[in-house]
Amino acid sequence: MKKTYLLKNLSLSLLENVKPNQLIILPRRFSIKKLRERVVEKNGVLFDIDIFTFDDLLNAPKNEILKERKFISREQEILIVFNLLKQIFKGQKDFENVLTYEFVSQVLYLLNLMFLESKEYPSLPSSISFEKYDWLKLLFARYKEYLDKNNLVNFSYLQDLAIRLYEEEKIELKKYESAKIAFFVDFRSDQKRLLKLLSRKLSSIEIFLPYFDDVELCQENVKFLEALGFDIIFGFPSTSVLDIAKNTYDSNKNFLKAFSYGNISLEVNALVKELKKDCIEGRIDFSKAAVVVPSIDRYKDILAKTFQEELLPINLDYQKSLLEFGFIKFVLDLIEFLGSEFDKKKFESLVTHRFLNKEEADFEILFEKIKDIYIMDFDQIGNVLEELEFLLSIFSFDEERENLVKIQRVYNRIRRIKKDYETSPKPYSSWLLQIKKVFERLGITKTAEFVNDIEFLKAFYALNEVFENGCKSSSEFQFDYTFEEFLDIFKTVLSQKMVDVSIKILNGIDILLPQDAIGSDYEKVYFIGLSDDILPKPRLEGFLMNNQIKLELGLDEIKDFDYNFQKELVSFRSILNSYEVYMSYPRFYQQDLGKSPFLELEGIDIVGIENNYLPDREIVTHKEYKLIKNANKVSKSQDEKRIHVPEIVQIKDRELIYLYECPLKFAFKKFSVDQIKDDDSFFSSNLRLLYICIQKILSCDQPQETYNFILQNLRYTANDAVKRKSAENILKIAIEIAEGMFKNGVKEFIPQNIGQHNLLIRQNFEGFEVQLFPNFAIKVGDEEIFGFVKAKHSNKWNEIDKLWLAKNVFNLEKVAAIFLYESPRFVIYENSSQEGIDRQSQECLETLKDLLQRLNDPELYQKNLPVKNCFRCEYNHVCILY
């Protein structure tokens, strides 16, 4: 009795009625752990049940093989393959320079596929055709010969040999009465070989697969199983399982919707609110909830940080390549700098790194000096430092001289190490020992344990393992490698070394990829990140991963985009049909994003949520709490919510504008709730330069002198072309504004409230002291006029600004203004009392007076207006007392 059940929804309920002496095969250890817990919870014991992956079935034959053979280390494998490639490409000019770590890594991947699929290429031509990838067949044959000769195996070869022992009946498979196989979206070539063995050995096998009749991948699975003699059954196997399962095969999930948020931060904030809400309402237990993401790389950091702030437990199984760690990138940059020609950009990034610049020297003075100098070698930096030392000795700049001494110490350390760094060809182990000496001389080895950074420590200890294992395993390979060859080999080794960065908390919320969520027992799945750039994943094919090489080598495991699209679609649909699902995606992450095509295919409605935090009365996230934490006291009673509003006496001009725009925004600023600092450093810096330029033009300074001054003081970019263009723009704006000042008879221009120039105008308005801070003052004859800078244009008819306040609240007779948007210009306004104010300004003034009278009323800060009226405020209302 061999049956295959084709299902739309899958859960562990299908497998919980296990019997003694039964084999169960699942695709992932994660699912195995869940099923074992469920079986023990139900039966108290596991009986004699083997719950395995396909790989676990090979443990016995693998142990037999490893009695005669040894595992080849990753370092040994890379060195052997690299040397074989050098031999094959010797004399081939087109291939001599291709042995980069990216190339070697892909070759290793292809070799593993050849072993996994048990390939044989017996009839190699006498003359190798490099265009037809015969060199890969030759490499495979020579590498396999080397492994056999030295009684070695790698993982894929061991897998192949173990299956052969079963196929050739040199070792017997354990006898089972029956088997159940579930939750596989597809089968690898080695898994298909094992499935054929099981179908011959066992008379009773049940397979539970996800199936959708419009997906070609599912149809291919059915054809494969039919060829093995399996009966195909659409739907659930029995009434009892039907009762357990959540949905029938023909059921359709209606009314599904996905939420669209402005960015990834808002999306995760909404996820947290949904999790908390479901937990409070008793709909989920955290141990029975899963967050599914198409890309762990994108979401792991923000999820870990946010869940830690919210005190939510999290379980995340994740490994990443050693090459991805920031510390390892520094190590590679350092090695490349020591062994290569001088590179100015690399030098600037290295000397400021914390492991070299331990005294926190400011290198600005050195970088400014060498930016226009062509540096041929490292010693020229020493000459520049001597010149700076001489210049500083003339003037009594104690602080600058002390800083220069720190710079010289960093330079001398690197100079000594670079001078002693040997780049002549040597064995791989010798290169590794030389790097270790560099570490010791820099003091990295001694200080590493004191660095309070878990990621750094993991990378540091993993790198030490690479050094130790590399020296041991490569001692028998006494080939000499050039510096460039060593660097490529070393990068390949680092890229193949995986480091565990998992986060595991008991009964935590699982963070999973879509395929890992298939066939579990979650109460609810939160599927986020459903954007078009990662679901489905784009297939970035390397230069060796293409259809031609698949045909030439006969490799079934090289998959194209269509195959991966179908595989991910099956996973997506299975999740939708198996669980209650919450879905969302961000509209922006480093670029504008759209919804996943899977949402379109399934006809899922999109609910667009604007870029705002909308806490309700019960659910508030940590991020929202930081906005409302200044509320002095909130009653725990649901019927009584009172807040004491601090007495307000003084109001600054900008705060008055905030009040008019939105009472909540005023509260955030006035009571220091908002901790976000505006990143306007570039604008402020350029505005100061503009002020000085206007002063220089009014003083009739030479244009070239003014232009040079701007170039010297632009700090936000090191790109000369950008600097020159920026300087020209600032000078052009200054000239246009200065022309307007000349026409109005301006004799003097004095910037205010910037640096040491502080000017404050006070006015009693509706019982409050309102404070006005002008941006500048001008002198026209004997008259002094205050002015303001307006940098942004607004299309809103009812917007007020400092210029409006000066004219309508402070009633200044004359007000000057500098407009920076569109066509830069300078204007002087006269405020005539005879004309009065227009109807629009009168309405704004009445609104402002009304808001001021209600400032101490907590009701003012509540969300008592329709949401659409709150979007003037950049906070978009938190819909709660401030």
Side-chain angles (χ1 to χ4, degrees), residues 260-300:
S260 161
Y261 296 94
N263 56 51
I264 191 172
S265 179
L266 291 170
E267 182 190 24
V268 172
N269 184 74
L271 166 69
V272 168
K273 291 165 70 68
E274 190 73 15
L275 279 164
K276 286 186 171 183
K277 178 184 174 184
D278 288 343
C279 184
I280 290 170
E281 294 176 356
R283 299 175 65 189
I284 64 164
D285 181 87
F286 285 148
S287 62
K288 295 286 187 180
V291 175
V292 175
V293 292
S295 170
I296 296 288
D297 281 335
R298 177 173 296 183
Y299 279 90
K300 65 181 177 63

Side-chain angles (χ1 to χ4, degrees), residues 718-781:
N719 188 308
D720 291 336
V722 174
K723 268 194 173 184
R724 286 194 296 272
K725 186 65 177 175
S726 299
E728 290 171 8
N729 289 340
I730 292 172
L731 185 59
K732 183 180 177 182
I733 293 170
I735 290 171
E736 291 179 7
I737 292 169
E739 285 177 354
M741 290 183 176
F742 281 129
K743 290 178 182 177
N744 285 278
V746 176
K747 294 181 178 179
E748 191 175 354
F749 171 75
I750 309 160
Q752 298 293 340
N753 297 308
I754 188 169
Q756 297 179 346
H757 299 281
N758 297 310
L759 177 65
L760 170 62
I761 304 172
R762 292 181 171 88
Q763 172 84 5
N764 189 292
F765 183 68
E766 296 296 310
F768 296 89
E769 182 188 289
V770 183
Q771 301 172 347
L772 184 67
F773 298 84
N775 299 120
F776 62 87
I778 56 171
K779 286 190 177 179
V780 181

Side-chain angles (χ1 to χ4, degrees), residues 488-500:
D488 282 317
I489 293 171
F490 189 51
K491 285 180 181 178
T492 307
V493 171
L494 296 176
S495 68
Q496 302 291 317
K497 174 75 173 177
M498 303 305 292
V499 180
D500 184 38

